[in-house]
Amino acid sequence: MNNNNIIIFLFIIINLLNFISCDIKLFFSVNVGDWSDNNNWYDYISSSQTTLPTLNDETYLTLVSNQIVTNHYQKAIASKIYVGGFNYSTNFNSKYGIQTALFQVKDQFAPQEVIFNISGDPLENPDFRIDAETLICAAGCTLRTLGKHFYAPNASVSIYGGVGWVIQDTLVSGFYLDYTLSLLLMSNATMLVENAFIDLYSQWDVISQSTIVINNTLNKFVVKDGSLLNIKDSKISIYNSMLLTGNKTKLTFENSIVDFGLVKLVPISRWVDSQLVFLNSVFDCKHQIIVSGSSLTSLILIKENSNVTFNDEVEFDGDSLLGLYNSKLTTGKSLLFDGASSGLISNSEINIMSQFATLGNSMIYVENSTFLISIPEIPSNWNRFFFVRDNSLLQFKMGSVGILDAHLLTSDNSALEIFDSTMTIAQESVFYNNSRVSMSNSIMSIDQVLNMMDSSLFEVVNSIVKVTNYTSFSGKSSFVVANSEFYIQGQYYDFTQNLNGSNIFNNSLLSVTGSFINTGSLFIFYSNVTVGGEFRNYGTLVTSTSDYVIDGTFTNNEGANFLIEFGSMKIVEGEMVLENNSNMTTYNTSITIMKGSLKLNSGSSLSLLNTQLFNSFGEVTTLGDIIINEGGSLRNDAHFILQSNVLPINNTGGESFINSGTIEMFGGENGIQVLVPFVNKGGNVKISKETSIKTYNQDGGLLVLDDALVHSDETINLSNGSLYGIGTINSSLSVSDGIVGDKAIIGTLNVSGELNSENGQFIFTLDSLTNSTFINIGKNATINNSTLIIRINQYFIDSLLNPTPTPTTTNSTNSTQVFNQTLINYENLSGTGFGEIKFGTYDPTSGEEKSLPSCYSASSSNSGKNFGLLIRSDGCGNVGDGNNGNGNGGNGGNGGKSSLSTGAIVGIVVGIAGGAAIIGTVIYFRNRLPTTQTLKYKVKQITKAQESQSELKPR
């Protein structure tokens, strides 16, 4: 006999001795039979056939190998029921219930199977109940439940190892499940567990439309170390229980519905190096979940159209992982990632009812998904946050993000990346402390404030940013916006102090409805900028190939620098102000003042390098210098007040200053210098005090000298326009089809150079002995085909040529009186002269103009260096009181309303002939300005020799 046979023999002997020492022991003695047949039972104590077992009998279904025992006709009753033993395989198949204190499948060395295929309703007929106090399956055995309902209201079920408990097409309920190792529910099975302390040590498999309901007042559902829970095509509900997991556990839910009910306390479900997997399942948990582990061994995996709800906080820590694919995740409270945890979210939806945070080197990737933070009925004093902090990374790609009830905060070397996505933020957004926010092909809408500080970086590429409140950049923060649109429905503040970097807009649109304030270094390239409010630059602003439209005031503050090139700027209705000592440089740019204004304060400078400054309908006032290079130009169609210099860089003459509006030039103590070619095209120019002009050409329009001293390198050209006023032209004057003089202005005009007139018209007004029009020509006068109009105060001429008689004298009406007046002084006179001379009088009070009375005769006179007027009175008598000849003859015709027309004054044509000698002295000036290549020019003063000459006072 070999050793194995000896061991089996001894085992049988020991068991037989045990049988002998106990009460009645009945054995099922046939290979195949039914419990209800008396002939199938054998009592080894009495060595005889016996009746059916009772509650006093122990029964053994283990006598022969491969035994099959059925129970198809009645309830099986015994004190104890043992299935298997002696290394024999036994199959017990029961369609009825059992009644016993112990039902045990014993032998672990041979496969045993117990099948309960209950055919009736145990709730209506007790014969179908499992009335067992203890139900135990040894390792390697199978407990299989089929039929309608496995109802064990008072049973304690323990299954050890092997296949375990297989529940199929059955409702299993009313038992106490203890120390369970293996469980298999399949094919429409249902298991109800009440008031059980559940410890899961090994594996549960729940598949094929099965249901587990655990109502556990003991408050614990424990998944022990290394255990597996697989739920497939089924439903599991756990109420009043705390889910506790050990290390290296795995829970998998596939095509299932899972509901973790609310408990009275606030339990925490901890996952350490464990896995929670959802496949096309619905999961609802009221507990706080903490997932932690190492090397990504601890995870929650949600995929295949699952719908998972965590009603409390969910925290991933210690290198754990959240995987969400084609599914939906909802958290009733916060979702936190910390301790180098990770998240992979794809084609899914996340709804967070509280805060979100990614911290501590965590990395979250969200692709083609919807990410929403929405807190219903949130109290107004609560603050909720969306954190990206502590070296963590959060990336959205091809998705939608809605942060509706939380503040967005990034900090501490973290990164928020948004690619091909949309992000809506209803609260304040703050980027600070070396954080980075990057966007590409995305849209970000912020309904509150955008605030950047502390060396943070904002990168926007091919994207749209909309901020409905103000945007602020401060500290050492910086931003780069490229190929994007940036809309701010509020104010823009740049208070950065980044000495090593700059803020950049490149090929983008910047639209600000409020104020724009820059104190840092801002570079704008190939972009469009619109500002509805005030635009202030305190720092450095560099613009290239960009266009500006500013409705409010543009101010370049004291000490600030503004460079714009290859672009345009429009001041719509506001102001453009260069404060004291500020600089603005433009290159290949156009600046248009629409209805606003441009002001250059003292010490400021505006450089127009290949730039056109166009004052369309606004007003320009300058106290600071304007510098123009060749290709640069000024154009005024509105109002321009020039109180500073306009200076060239290279003095090439390629610059231009064109006026079609109104320009007032006011020279200060040192005068002003317009050292670029100036063209007046039909506009009005008024010059006061000392002004230097490189060249002046007028085509139509008006030039008014108001006690002015005008220097020019070249001849002042007047064509089809007018010149009048009081002052000195320190150059030559050329008049072509123009008018010199005005009825309303009486005074002396000095021309230090030559006078050339072609078809010109000169208006002289004689108001009194001390108030009349007078022109001094320093050099030669050439007059061709011109017209001379002489207006004489009616009262003045009457009092002069027909004095009122005194008591000692009488006024003979036949006496002849002669009056002469010098009109023009010159060195030499040439040309055809005045082709027409018109004489007439005017009433200084009414302005009425008349021809001379027939008793007056008027003629011109030329004595070599003088051209004058000679009037004779041939006994006209007293035509008026003439103020007794003592007044100034009125105001020179200021009250006149009618213009001097051809029919108003009967003129006479005279030649150039000798006349009475006229005494006059000409004041001479230097004709040329000094040439220099520097930006500043200084007009030389009159030499002492010139100052020593006798001065001619206007007559």
Side-chain angles (χ1 to χ4, degrees):
M1 181 179 294
N2 58 32
N3 292 334
N4 289 334
N5 293 331
I6 295 174
I7 294 174
I8 294 173
F9 177 77
L10 293 175
F11 181 78
I12 293 174
I13 295 299
I14 293 173
N15 277 279
L16 289 175
L17 292 175
N18 288 333
F19 296 156
I20 296 173
S21 65
C22 296
D23 294 333
I24 299 174
K25 295 178 175 59
L26 303 180
F27 288 83
F28 199 84
S29 59
V30 297
N31 283 346
V32 179
D34 191 83
W35 181 290
S36 62
D37 190 347
N38 296 339
N39 298 321
N40 294 336
W41 293 100
Y42 181 80
D43 183 352
Y44 271 87
I45 301 300
S46 61
S47 299
S48 64
Q49 296 283 336
T50 184
T51 61
L52 294 178
T54 67
L55 293 177
N56 296 320
D57 300 323
E58 294 183 2
T59 59
Y60 295 87
L61 312 180
T62 183
L63 186 61
V64 295
S65 178
N66 298 318
Q67 190 175 51
I68 298 176
V69 181
T70 61
N71 182 35
H72 290 170
Y73 303 104
Q74 65 183 33
K75 190 173 186 177
I77 299 175
S79 171
K80 298 177 182 179
I81 301 175
Y82 297 99
V83 179
F86 305 110
N87 289 333
Y88 293 154
S89 297
T90 304
N91 182 294
F92 176 73
N93 190 324
S94 177
K95 292 185 177 180
Y96 277 77
I98 61 174
Q99 183 174 353
T100 182
L102 173 64
F103 184 93
Q104 182 176 1
V105 184
K106 294 183 61 177
D107 200 335
Q108 62 181 0
F109 297 106
Q112 315 296 334
E113 184 177 30
V114 176
I115 300 175
F116 288 102
N117 188 5
I118 306 299
S119 59
D121 187 350
L123 300 180
E124 295 180 358
N125 187 345
D127 288 343
F128 297 103
R129 290 175 36 158
I130 308 298
D131 291 320
E133 296 179 8
T134 303
L135 194 155
I136 300 175
C137 286
C141 300
T142 300
L143 172 63
R144 187 183 301 274
T145 61
L146 304 171
K148 294 182 179 181
H149 192 171
F150 180 87
Y151 179 51
N154 300 306
S156 173
V157 180
S158 299
I159 301 175
Y160 301 94
V163 176
W165 189 355
V166 179
I167 302 174
Q168 182 175 357
D169 298 309
T170 305
L171 169 63
V172 179
S173 65
F175 58 90
Y176 178 84
L177 187 62
D178 191 16
Y179 297 102
T180 302
L181 288 176
S182 299
L183 173 67
L184 175 63
L185 276 72
M186 56 183 296
S187 186
N188 299 303
T190 302
M191 183 175 74
L192 304 178
V193 183
E194 296 182 346
N195 301 322
F197 183 93
I198 302 174
D199 283 338
L200 178 60
Y201 282 94
S202 181
Q203 177 172 339
W204 283 13
D205 291 299
V206 183
I207 61 175
S208 188
Q209 301 181 10
S210 298
T211 301
I212 296 179
V213 179
I214 300 175
N215 189 7
N216 187 0
T217 58
L218 298 178
N219 296 327
K220 285 188 178 181
F221 176 37
V222 182
V223 183
K224 292 297 182 67
D225 294 356
S227 298
L228 302 176
L229 174 60
N230 298 319
I231 309 294
K232 182 177 181 180
D233 302 316
S234 301
K235 178 179 180 180
I236 178 170
S237 299
I238 302 176
Y239 299 103
N240 299 311
S241 298
M242 181 188 300
L243 177 61
L244 299 177
T245 63
N247 296 330
K248 299 181 180 180
T249 62
K250 181 177 182 179
L251 277 66
T252 302
F253 304 93
E254 182 176 358
N255 301 316
S256 300
I257 298 176
V258 184
D259 182 13
F260 280 9
L262 182 65
V263 297
K264 297 179 181 179
L265 301 176
V266 183
I268 299 177
S269 297
R270 298 184 182 273
W271 304 80
V272 180
D273 293 329
S274 301
Q275 298 180 12
L276 178 59
V277 181
F278 301 94
L279 306 174
N280 192 27
S281 298
V282 177
F283 183 86
D284 189 355
C285 178
K286 307 291 191 301
H287 306 163
Q288 181 181 1
I289 303 292
I290 298 178
V291 184
S292 61
S294 59
S295 301
L296 300 178
T297 58
S298 190
L299 63 85
I300 293 180
L301 179 62
I302 306 169
K303 56 191 300 186
E304 297 180 8
N305 299 308
S306 295
N307 190 343
V308 176
T309 300
F310 295 111
N311 290 282
D312 209 314
E313 291 185 354
V314 180
E315 180 179 348
F316 292 85
D317 194 6
D319 213 16
S320 57
L321 170 67
L322 167 65
L324 181 64
Y325 304 97
N326 300 296
S327 299
K328 180 179 180 180
L329 171 63
T330 301
T331 65
K333 291 186 178 180
S334 300
L335 176 60
L336 308 176
F337 293 86
D338 198 0
S341 58
S342 302
L344 300 174
I345 302 164
S346 177
N347 300 300
S348 298
E349 178 181 343
I350 291 184
N351 295 319
I352 302 173
M353 302 300 178
S354 185
Q355 298 188 141
F356 172 84
T358 172
L359 316 169
N361 296 290
S362 298
M363 301 178 68
I364 314 300
Y365 298 93
V366 183
E367 182 176 3
N368 197 28
S369 300
T370 300
F371 202 104
L372 180 66
I373 293 184
S374 178
I375 309 172
E377 300 179 1
I378 181 173
S380 59
N381 60 342
W382 282 20
N383 285 323
R384 290 291 181 264
F385 296 96
F386 187 104
F387 285 111
V388 183
R389 296 172 47 186
D390 304 329
N391 297 287
S392 61
L393 169 65
L394 174 60
Q395 183 185 101
F396 294 99
K397 187 175 182 180
M398 295 186 296
S400 175
V401 184
I403 307 174
L404 304 184
D405 297 298
H407 303 272
L408 171 62
L409 283 84
T410 67
S411 67
D412 304 317
N413 300 295
S414 64
L416 171 61
E417 298 178 348
I418 308 165
F419 302 128
D420 304 294
S421 301
T422 61
M423 175 176 283
T424 301
I425 307 165
Q427 303 293 329
E428 180 183 18
S429 298
V430 180
F431 311 149
Y432 66 102
N433 196 15
N434 295 297
S435 63
R436 174 176 59 86
V437 178
S438 299
M439 294 178 58
S440 178
N441 298 305
S442 299
I443 299 175
M444 175 184 287
S445 299
I446 303 174
D447 293 339
Q448 292 294 326
V449 174
L450 170 59
N451 202 340
M452 287 187 59
M453 60 187 73
D454 302 331
S455 300
S456 58
L457 173 62
F458 191 22
E459 298 174 318
V460 182
V461 179
N462 296 318
S463 299
I464 298 175
V465 178
K466 299 179 181 179
V467 183
T468 56
N469 207 310
Y470 72 82
T471 298
S472 176
F473 303 93
S474 61
K476 294 183 179 180
S477 64
S478 60
F479 62 84
V480 176
V481 180
N483 305 310
S484 300
E485 300 175 16
F486 206 121
Y487 299 93
I488 302 173
Q489 296 182 9
Q491 290 71 40
Y492 171 99
Y493 300 112
D494 185 351
F495 302 126
T496 57
Q497 301 173 358
N498 193 349
L499 300 178
N500 297 322
S502 301
N503 299 324
I504 298 174
F505 282 95
N506 183 42
N507 196 29
S508 298
L509 167 66
L510 172 61
S511 176
V512 182
T513 61
S515 300
F516 183 104
I517 308 296
N518 174 60
T519 64
S521 296
L522 177 59
F523 290 80
I524 301 177
F525 304 131
Y526 303 97
S527 299
N528 295 317
V529 179
T530 61
V531 178
E534 180 184 22
F535 190 117
R536 279 189 173 269
N537 178 42
Y538 293 87
T540 298
L541 180 57
V542 178
T543 301
S544 177
T545 321
S546 299
D547 298 328
Y548 283 79
V549 176
I550 301 174
D551 291 337
T553 298
F554 174 92
T555 303
N556 203 44
N557 277 73
E558 183 173 359
N561 295 295
F562 182 23
L563 170 63
I564 177 172
E565 61 179 4
F566 298 105
S568 69
M569 175 179 289
K570 290 183 179 179
I571 307 298
V572 179
E573 292 185 350
E575 290 183 331
M576 180 176 178
V577 180
L578 273 62
E579 293 286 6
N580 298 351
N581 301 312
S582 65
N583 298 292
M584 179 175 177
T585 302
T586 64
Y587 181 71
N588 280 330
T589 300
S590 65
I591 300 175
T592 303
I593 312 298
M594 302 298 289
K595 296 181 180 179
S597 63
L598 168 62
K599 294 182 179 180
L600 276 64
N601 288 337
S602 178
S604 65
S605 66
L606 172 61
S607 298
L608 305 177
L609 310 180
N610 290 61
T611 295
Q612 293 74 46
L613 171 60
F614 177 34
N615 181 24
S616 178
F617 296 101
E619 181 169 308
V620 177
T621 303
T622 68
L623 291 173
D625 291 342
I626 297 178
I627 301 170
I628 307 179
N629 77 332
E630 184 177 7
S633 66
L634 284 167
R635 177 181 170 186
N636 175 59
D637 282 1
H639 191 200
F640 199 122
I641 301 175
L642 183 64
Q643 302 177 76
S644 60
N645 302 316
V646 179
L647 306 173
I649 290 182
N650 297 320
N651 198 24
T652 62
E655 313 84 5
S656 66
F657 193 164
I658 300 173
N659 174 61
S660 296
T662 299
I663 291 185
E664 300 177 60
M665 300 182 184
F666 293 99
E669 293 182 359
N670 297 321
I672 62 172
Q673 302 174 78
V674 182
L675 302 184
V676 299
F678 184 93
V679 178
N680 184 21
K681 289 188 175 181
N684 298 327
V685 178
K686 180 181 179 180
I687 301 177
S688 300
K689 298 185 179 180
E690 185 175 5
T691 301
S692 299
I693 301 178
K694 181 178 181 62
T695 62
Y696 182 97
N697 291 281
Q698 180 168 305
D699 184 7
L702 174 64
L703 172 60
V704 178
L705 303 183
D706 181 17
D707 194 20
L709 171 58
V710 180
H711 306 278
S712 179
D713 278 346
E714 299 181 13
T715 299
I716 303 296
N717 292 305
L718 181 66
S719 176
N720 295 311
S722 300
L723 164 65
Y724 66 80
I726 302 171
T728 299
I729 296 176
N730 190 15
S731 178
S732 296
L733 173 64
S734 175
V735 180
S736 176
D737 296 310
I739 300 173
V740 177
D742 184 80
K743 291 188 261 185
I745 303 298
I746 302 173
T748 299
L749 173 64
N750 296 304
V751 179
S752 66
E754 297 180 348
L755 170 64
N756 292 280
S757 174
E758 188 73 32
N759 298 318
Q761 185 179 98
F762 293 81
I763 300 174
F764 288 84
T765 299
L766 279 66
D767 190 64
S768 67
L769 289 173
T770 59
N771 188 28
S772 63
T773 302
F774 180 59
I775 299 178
N776 283 328
I777 308 299
K779 294 185 179 180
N780 298 328
T782 301
I783 300 174
N784 290 301
N785 300 319
S786 298
T787 300
L788 177 63
I789 298 175
I790 301 174
R791 305 169 65 248
I792 307 172
N793 186 330
Q794 172 184 312
Y795 301 124
F796 163 65
I797 194 64
D798 286 345
S799 64
L800 185 64
L801 299 181
N802 298 285
T804 302
T806 63
T808 59
T809 63
T810 59
N811 184 21
S812 172
T813 58
N814 296 319
S815 63
T816 298
Q817 301 291 331
V818 179
F819 167 74
N820 59 68
Q821 176 71 37
T822 301
L823 302 178
I824 305 174
N825 285 348
Y826 41 75
E827 279 292 318
N828 293 295
L829 178 63
S830 61
T832 60
F834 293 103
E836 183 180 9
I837 299 179
K838 299 179 180 181
F839 298 92
T841 64
Y842 68 92
D843 187 328
T845 302
S846 66
E848 182 182 5
E849 296 180 344
K850 298 179 180 180
S851 61
L852 282 174
S854 59
C855 58
Y856 290 114
S857 63
S859 62
S860 62
S861 63
N862 178 19
S863 62
K865 292 187 178 183
N866 306 289
F867 184 86
L869 170 66
L870 180 64
I871 300 177
R872 295 175 60 89
S873 172
D874 297 325
C876 289
N878 190 7
V879 297
D881 60 18
N883 293 326
N884 296 321
N886 297 320
N888 60 9
N891 59 7
N894 286 330
K897 298 181 180 179
S898 60
S899 62
L900 184 61
S901 64
T902 304
I905 298 177
V906 179
I908 60 174
V909 179
V910 299
I912 299 177
I918 305 298
I919 301 175
T921 305
V922 179
I923 302 176
Y924 292 95
F925 298 90
R926 290 185 178 269
N927 296 326
R928 298 294 178 183
L929 295 171
T931 58
T932 178
Q933 296 300 318
T934 61
L935 292 180
K936 298 296 183 180
Y937 295 80
K938 184 65 178 177
V939 179
K940 292 185 178 181
Q941 303 296 323
I942 302 171
T943 63
K944 293 183 179 180
Q946 292 171 314
E947 293 173 350
S948 64
Q949 297 180 6
S950 56
E951 182 178 0
L952 173 64
K953 295 182 179 180
R955 298 180 58 190

